[in-house]
Amino acid sequence: MKLYRFLSEEDTSAFCHKVSEALSKGWELYGTPTQTWDAAAGVMRCGQAVIKEVEGSYSPDLKLGAQ
């Protein structure tokens, strides 16, 4: 089964660390990163989709971050 996650964070090194951690756990980049202005918080936000092939069947209770 293929899993999908969308990682997002303020445009700081925390975002890069979040993506790097996912890559170190076997996730792969999917598509291009995004960036947008969050007017309510007054910050830039980044996003990146990642995918991973795993054994088993999908369940909405699946903890994607633990994969």
Side-chain angles (χ1 to χ4, degrees):
M1 133 181 85
K2 190 171 285 193
L3 300 177
Y4 171 90
R5 290 176 66 192
F6 185 77
L7 307 173
S8 63
E9 184 70 54
E10 286 186 23
D11 186 12
T12 66
S13 63
F15 174 71
C16 296
H17 287 289
K18 187 181 276 191
V19 174
S20 294
E21 180 183 17
L23 293 174
S24 74
K25 292 180 177 180
W27 291 84
E28 298 178 27
L29 298 177
Y30 182 77
T32 57
T34 62
Q35 191 175 42
T36 190
W37 176 250
D38 181 345
V43 297
M44 290 297 289
R45 295 209 179 267
C46 295
Q48 174 66 58
V50 292
I51 56 173
K52 183 177 184 180
E53 190 73 36
V54 298
E55 296 291 323
S57 300
Y58 175 75
S59 166
D61 298 326
L62 189 66
K63 304 291 183 209
L64 296 174
Q67 296 296 316

